[in-house]
Amino acid sequence: MKSCSAEPPKNNELEVSIFGPGKGESIVLHLGLGRWMVVDSCIDQEDRTVSGLKYLRKIGADLQNVHMIVGTHAHDDHFAGIASFYEACESATFVVSDALTNAEFMALLGADAEVPKPARYSAYSEYRKIFEIAESRKNSNGIAPLRRATEGARLLHLPAASDFPSVTVTALSPSEQAKTRALRAIAAESPQVNARRGKIPALDPNDASIALWIEVGQVRILLGADLLNGPAGCGWQAVVASFKPDFPASLYKVAHHGGASSHHQPAWDKLLVRNPLAVMAPYRRGGINQPQPHDVERILSLTDRAYITAVGTPTPSRAIRREKSQLGTLAQNPRSVWGKIGQVRARCTPGEGDWKVNTVSPAGPLR
């Protein structure tokens, strides 16, 4: 394992880079031949930049070659800054969960826009911007660059070219049952009543989260989003019941920050190689921390090749240290909940060996 450089991937290399500060997650993928794909977005809490976008610019990637941006679900830690990412990538198609494009959800977005800014749910604001951008980019036939992900939908196909194999991206979720549950939850809300109360409630959209299966030649990649274990007919239970891969995945983006609610042993057994490369970002917010020590133990029992974008306790920023000096003895052990952005970068050449991993601190091996 080495530290990351600003050197871009070679044309014949795959890359999976995951960024995470402790509250947030973003994945940037090189699909060969200068072509890119983005899954989710997070913001650096220190300089307010969009982490994945900053990285692509740093390595000199052509943003016109970002083919697709996927917003896996409407949680702030996966959605912060994603509209800015989409705006910068003018040729990209945006992918949204099929459960979050119905009239009731649009009404929820509209109602949220009517409440005072401090009380707005930021993921809804990002959705409004995304739909506005997509509307402004309609082609001559009136079709917007927007796709809806559902179980089994092929979201992207790039044919083989220049001795590089074909690329296919498939949605593994949400299932029909998961969409039904999500739509019922949305319909149960009353935007008008909640707007009068001054805040639109944040629905839990993990049921509608988009897990992705990526095929490049014989290389397989599984991106778990925040997909939960179940309930019946939903989550990983539905994925394992319906999806039968030709080859198992050698790289797994661990679902839901490694939490127990997203662990489904049959998914590890049936969708992944033995001892896969596992990458993940932690989640820290108040008293909620993932992965927990027992989660780390479980993951390391399944692979000895696991990496996380932030190891240990977040290091306090300069602003936090300055505040500590002002508080004196009242501040014994200050910490920034979100911490500094870390990066885990994995690259491989299809047909020529395994993944090579590099990191940017505070990322490192899971322990």
Side-chain angles (χ1 to χ4, degrees):
M1 182 188 68
K2 299 178 180 178
S3 295
C4 289
S5 68
E7 182 181 351
K10 298 174 183 176
N11 265 354
N12 65 342
E13 280 185 317
L14 286 174
E15 175 178 329
V16 179
S17 275
I18 179 170
F19 303 85
K23 181 182 179 289
E25 176 179 307
S26 181
I27 305 167
V28 172
L29 301 98
H30 181 244
L31 303 176
L33 305 178
R35 303 167 301 187
W36 295 88
M37 166 184 163
V38 176
V39 180
D40 291 334
S41 177
C42 63
I43 289 177
D44 188 318
Q45 299 296 320
E46 294 188 349
D47 63 14
R48 307 304 299 172
T49 57
V50 179
S51 302
L53 183 57
K54 181 180 180 180
Y55 172 69
L56 289 179
R57 285 172 168 158
K58 180 180 178 180
I59 64 173
D62 184 354
L63 297 183
Q64 296 303 312
N65 283 334
V66 176
H67 286 251
M68 188 167 71
I69 298 176
V70 182
T72 61
H73 62 295
H75 270 161
D76 289 353
D77 61 316
H78 289 251
F79 231 69
I82 200 165
S84 297
F85 219 142
Y86 185 39
E87 187 172 30
C89 302
E90 297 179 359
S91 301
T93 295
F94 195 91
V95 177
V96 62
S97 174
D98 193 35
L100 300 180
T101 56
N102 66 325
E104 290 83 358
F105 183 67
M106 296 303 177
L108 205 60
L109 298 186
D112 182 68
E114 298 300 318
V115 303
K117 277 189 176 181
R120 292 180 189 171
Y121 184 42
S122 61
Y124 293 170
S125 298
E126 295 284 346
Y127 269 109
R128 284 195 298 274
K129 294 174 188 173
I130 288 160
F131 292 142
E132 288 170 3
I133 294 167
E135 183 72 15
S136 72
R137 293 178 179 173
K138 283 184 175 179
N139 63 19
S140 57
N141 295 319
I143 299 173
L146 192 70
R147 293 209 60 183
R148 294 161 175 80
T150 189
E151 174 187 31
R154 190 169 80 169
L155 302 176
L156 179 68
H157 178 73
L158 302 173
S162 303
D163 296 324
F164 193 83
S166 63
V167 176
T168 303
V169 180
T170 303
L172 300 183
S173 61
S175 66
E176 288 300 318
Q177 177 63 18
K179 288 191 291 182
T180 298
R181 284 172 52 86
L183 294 177
R184 285 175 180 168
I186 293 170
E189 298 296 341
S190 171
Q192 292 77 18
V193 171
N194 286 307
R196 288 197 294 270
R197 291 174 181 168
K199 183 175 175 67
I200 301 301
L203 302 172
D204 184 353
N206 285 334
D207 276 349
S209 191
I210 306 169
L212 297 169
W213 184 261
I214 301 171
E215 303 178 357
V216 185
Q218 292 190 350
V219 177
R220 303 291 181 266
I221 299 167
L222 175 59
L223 304 182
D226 272 7
L227 195 65
L228 302 178
N229 182 2
C234 303
W236 290 111
Q237 293 182 40
V239 170
V240 171
S242 64
F243 182 65
K244 312 297 179 188
D246 53 353
F247 299 105
S250 57
L251 186 150
Y252 175 40
K253 199 294 292 185
V254 181
H256 206 204
H257 315 284
S261 62
S262 286
H263 177 69
H264 187 56
Q265 188 58 43
W268 284 79
D269 295 338
K270 297 181 179 182
L271 304 181
L272 302 172
V273 300
R274 291 178 61 87
N275 204 42
L277 175 60
V279 299
M280 59 186 294
Y283 181 85
R284 305 185 185 104
R285 187 172 187 176
I288 303 173
N289 293 283
Q290 290 188 146
Q292 292 287 317
H294 61 271
D295 298 320
V296 173
E297 183 179 353
R298 182 189 67 250
I299 293 167
L300 293 180
S301 73
L302 296 166
T303 179
D304 60 10
R305 304 170 65 220
Y307 294 84
I308 191 166
T309 59
V311 176
T313 305
T315 302
S317 65
R318 271 180 277 182
I320 296 291
R321 292 196 297 270
R322 184 167 56 249
E323 187 172 345
K324 175 185 182 295
S325 68
Q326 294 170 350
L327 292 172
T329 58
L330 294 176
Q332 296 296 322
N333 189 27
R335 288 290 183 267
S336 166
V337 172
W338 298 287
K340 181 182 177 183
I341 288 279
Q343 177 188 0
V344 178
R345 187 186 74 192
R347 289 177 176 174
C348 81
T349 302
E352 295 185 13
D354 204 356
W355 297 94
K356 296 179 176 62
V357 178
N358 302 82
T359 62
V360 170
S361 179
L366 183 68
R367 57 177 186 266

